[in-house]
Amino acid sequence: MSVRIEKITEPLTLGEGPHWDERQQALYFVSIQDKTIHKYVPTTEKHTKTSLDGRVGFILPVEGTTDQFVVGVERKFLLIQWDGEDGSKVAVLKELGEVDKDRPNNRINDGKADPRGRLFAGTMGHEDPPGNFERNKASLYKLDSAKDGKLEKIIETVSLSNGLAWDLKEKAFYYTDSMQFSITKFDYDVDTGEISNPRNIFDFKQRGLQGIPDGTTIDTDGNLWVAVFGGSCVLKINPKNGEILQKLAIPAEQVTSATFGGPNLDILFVTSACCNVGKEQLPPSGATFMVTGLGVKGLPNVSVRL
């Protein structure tokens, strides 16, 4: 079966954070600068969206619900209710916490739930001008409802938090600070959610690769699929030896993230951006893409447990 790449949405300014909800067989994602959350159902090709009151870094379904989500808006983590319909009003049910209070220009970026439903989400430094980030002023946080439900800072001196993935077989957590141009592997304890022993497993600069590592997902073989912002591709990487197994070309320069979905978890959904960082990004840049025929399957995305 040959690889096929299909555009499934019109361009967004900064599409990000794709999450496949198995229960609803739907893809959720955000457009950060447009302050919108999105839902796409492949069987009907129905794409809906609605607006929030700030830049939104991620949207994750809440376990056991069909209309409740955790979102990261500016520097706040919010529990919201949305029926998934186009333009319908969002109700904020609860504020779960505010981070980086001493850094008012920071904002929340990538966020995911670990295999036990704990929320891991990070922030990023102020961006001014576009593409120029304030360094080492952000952090990665964890919210564990099994403990006290409070946000815990677990990594400091981050510039641009991205690329979260877990591998239970390897007892590993993968994380990217995009401005370090590298992917870090941590030892991971699924029972406690603790991470330790960080080591660099893949360095873009050392390999002479164009672009920066952005969002990341993982397949059932334990290989990472890394979106490359400024590199027009998703890289399939073996994290055990750093080998690049595949370079999947995407018809957008600013590739932001990816996740596996579909009934068999064998479709790769890829988000992108069309930010002007000194060069105009023409369509289909900014679109969300659906990639079939890769011959691999991903691990299920996990909803947040509150």
Side-chain angles (χ1 to χ4, degrees):
M1 184 175 178
S2 60
V3 175
R4 181 185 179 193
I5 301 175
E6 180 183 355
K7 178 174 75 73
I8 59 174
T9 72
E10 293 307 308
L12 306 170
T13 305
L14 183 49
E16 259 285 9
H19 176 100
W20 178 256
D21 187 327
E22 281 194 282
R23 185 174 177 179
Q24 299 194 67
Q25 289 293 294
L27 182 75
Y28 289 93
F29 55 101
V30 304
S31 184
I32 296 173
Q33 302 295 353
D34 298 322
K35 304 178 182 179
T36 51
I37 53 177
H38 297 252
K39 179 181 180 181
Y40 178 80
V41 181
T43 54
T44 63
E45 298 183 359
K46 184 178 180 181
H47 174 207
T48 55
K49 65 180 180 180
T50 196
S51 298
L52 298 180
D53 290 332
R55 294 170 297 177
V56 53
F58 67 85
I59 177 171
L60 299 171
V62 174
E63 184 181 73
T65 73
T66 57
D67 64 352
Q68 292 186 20
F69 305 87
V70 176
V71 293
V73 180
E74 298 297 344
R75 292 180 294 104
K76 292 182 178 180
F77 295 90
L78 304 176
L79 173 64
I80 66 167
Q81 189 169 37
W82 178 44
D83 61 10
E85 294 302 315
D86 201 47
S88 61
K89 188 175 181 180
V90 170
V92 178
L93 304 180
K94 185 180 181 181
E95 182 179 318
L96 302 174
E98 183 177 357
V99 295
D100 293 4
K101 293 182 180 180
D102 59 333
R103 304 285 180 186
N105 290 323
N106 282 11
R107 69 164 173 83
I108 295 166
N109 199 45
D110 208 358
K112 289 183 182 179
D114 83 346
R116 291 286 176 83
R118 305 176 185 96
L119 173 66
F120 281 66
T123 55
M124 56 176 280
H126 182 50
E127 183 182 7
D128 185 31
N132 184 38
F133 302 92
E134 190 175 17
R135 303 296 182 97
N136 303 321
K137 304 296 184 182
S139 301
L140 179 69
Y141 294 88
K142 178 176 66 176
L143 187 151
D144 188 348
S145 62
K147 291 184 177 179
D148 55 11
K150 293 182 180 179
L151 287 162
E152 174 190 358
K153 185 184 292 187
I154 55 176
I155 302 177
E156 295 183 301
T157 62
V158 172
S159 297
L160 178 49
S161 188
N162 260 315
L164 310 162
W166 291 264
D167 187 333
L168 289 180
K169 293 179 183 177
E170 294 294 319
K171 297 181 179 179
F173 167 62
Y174 299 100
Y175 176 68
T176 299
D177 180 349
S178 294
M179 291 296 97
Q180 298 295 330
F181 299 92
S182 62
I183 301 168
T184 302
K185 179 180 180 179
F186 291 81
D187 293 337
Y188 168 72
D189 188 328
V190 68
D191 293 321
T192 65
E194 299 298 320
I195 61 173
S196 60
N197 189 27
R199 58 268 194 204
N200 186 333
I201 61 162
F202 191 90
D203 191 297
F204 272 55
K205 291 289 191 182
Q206 288 180 0
R207 294 169 181 266
L209 294 173
Q210 181 180 353
I212 62 173
D214 206 319
T216 299
T217 193
I218 190 168
D219 64 28
T220 55
D221 296 321
N223 295 313
L224 301 177
W225 295 73
V226 181
V228 185
F229 190 98
S232 305
C233 68
V234 176
L235 293 179
K236 179 183 179 183
I237 297 169
N238 181 343
K240 293 181 180 179
N241 59 16
E243 181 184 359
I244 298 175
L245 302 175
Q246 185 175 352
K247 182 178 181 180
L248 177 65
I250 302 296
E253 182 178 326
Q254 299 168 347
V255 186
T256 57
S257 194
T259 197
F260 285 97
N264 300 312
L265 296 177
D266 59 353
I267 299 171
L268 188 70
F269 293 97
V270 180
T271 52
S272 71
C274 57
C275 302
N276 190 332
V277 287
K279 175 184 175 184
E280 184 181 5
Q281 302 295 318
L282 301 175
S285 295
T288 303
F289 302 92
M290 182 171 69
V291 186
T292 54
L294 290 170
V296 299
K297 293 185 177 182
L299 297 173
N301 290 178
V302 180
S303 297
V304 175
R305 183 176 296 174
L306 293 180

